[in-house]
Amino acid sequence: MRLGILISGRGSNFEAIANAIARRKLEAEIAIVISNRATAGGLDIARMRGIPLRVIESRGMEREAYDKLVIQELRIHEVDLVCLAGFMRLLSASFIEAFPNRVMNIHPSLLPAFPGLDAQRQALEFGVKITGCTVHLVDEFLDSGPILVQSAVPVVDDDTVETLSARILLQEHVIYPKAIQLMVERRIKLQGRRAIIREEDAE
Ligand code: GRF
C-alpha cells in the first residue's frame, strides 16, 4: 500500500509511521509527504530519511484549487491511502470523492468529544478524567468520519496541556500505524458509521 502523508508541522506521527514501516510492523511504503507549510518540522524528518517530499503552500488559495493540486501530486505518486498527520486544513468534498474511504486522520481526543483545535486543552478545561486519541476516516466535516481505532489516556490532577498532550501523543504513535496496518490487511468493514474490525487470521 502506497501512503501519501499530509502534514503542516512537527511530523511526529509521520515519523511514527515511518518507524513502523522500518520495523516491518506496517506493510506499506511512504510514496510522498506533502506539507502545506514550507517551515513544517516534519519536512526535515522526510529529508533525513530520504522520503520524497513536496511543499504545496496553501496560504491564500481557494480550498478546491488547493485540493486539486494535492490530488494531482498524490496521483503522480500512485497513492492508495492518504494519511493526515497534523494537517491543519479541512478537505473539500471533491478530495474525499477522489479517495473514497481512503483518507485517515488522527485526533488527540476520544471523538466525538472535543473536535477541532486544542483538543487536549478542551479536555483539561472541561475536567474529564479520561481522554485519548482517535484514528478515523475523513469526510468533509471536521473530525467527523467513522472511527477506526481509539486509545484511552488518563488525565491526572497536576496535568498541564503539555504533560497531557505528551501522554496522548505516545498513544497516537501506537494507534496510527496500527490503524493503517488494519487497512493494509483489509480487516476493516464499514457498516454505516461503524467500522467492524475482523479478527486477525480469522479464516
Ligand atoms: C497531533 O496531536 C495530532 O493528533 C493532531 O495534530 C498533532 C500533530 O502532531 N492532529 P505531529 O505533527 O504528528 O507531531
Side-chain angles (χ1 to χ4, degrees):
M1 184 162 298
R2 293 174 62 78
L3 310 180
I5 303 192
L6 271 50
I7 62 168
S8 299
R10 179 177 57 185
S12 73
N13 278 288
F14 150 48
E15 191 170 32
I17 293 166
N19 287 341
I21 293 171
R23 293 192 195 114
R24 298 180 194 279
K25 298 262 182 220
L26 172 55
E27 296 155 295
E29 182 184 340
I30 301 176
I32 183 77
V33 175
I34 300 174
S35 173
N36 69 321
R37 292 183 190 148
T39 52
L43 291 169
D44 291 330
I45 299 171
R47 283 187 197 106
M48 249 144 45
R49 303 179 80 123
I51 295 170
L53 63 100
R54 177 80 206 278
V55 175
I56 308 178
E57 281 276 7
S58 58
R59 189 165 312 178
M61 281 198 75
E62 296 265 333
R63 191 175 309 287
E64 288 280 340
Y66 182 77
D67 285 6
K68 220 173 183 174
L69 290 180
V70 176
I71 292 168
Q72 216 170 43
E73 193 66 26
L74 294 168
R75 294 262 190 251
I76 290 170
H77 290 87
E78 298 179 347
V79 163
D80 306 302
L81 179 68
V82 181
C83 301
L84 309 186
F87 187 65
M88 304 300 284
R89 277 178 70 86
L90 264 180
L91 297 173
S92 60
S94 33
F95 191 109
I96 307 301
E97 276 161 30
F99 292 93
N101 290 330
R102 280 283 182 267
V103 185
M104 290 167 109
N105 183 41
I106 179 117
H107 182 75
S109 75
L110 291 177
L111 289 171
F114 314 123
L117 286 178
D118 280 334
Q120 303 94 330
R121 179 183 301 278
Q122 291 185 54
L124 196 63
E125 287 177 357
F126 196 90
V128 293
K129 301 296 186 193
I130 295 172
T131 181
C133 47
T134 303
V135 179
H136 63 95
L137 291 177
V138 173
D139 57 23
E140 66 265 43
F141 306 106
L142 182 66
D143 300 323
S144 119
I147 289 169
L148 302 178
V149 181
Q150 293 187 303
S151 178
V153 173
V155 181
V156 299
D157 288 345
D158 55 3
D159 260 335
T160 61
V161 175
E162 289 70 32
T163 58
L164 179 58
S165 299
R167 193 175 310 118
I168 294 171
L169 193 63
L170 289 176
Q171 287 308 305
E172 294 186 35
H173 296 165
V174 174
I175 66 169
Y176 209 173
K178 201 184 255 179
I180 299 169
Q181 179 63 18
L182 289 175
M183 281 286 224
V184 170
E185 293 175 10
R186 296 175 184 283
R187 285 168 54 198
I188 301 170
K189 207 172 99 195
L190 285 182
Q191 286 178 5
R193 273 202 57 88
R194 297 185 67 202
I196 309 298
I197 313 287
R198 185 166 50 80
E199 291 280 312
E200 215 167 349
D201 300 315
E203 68 269 12

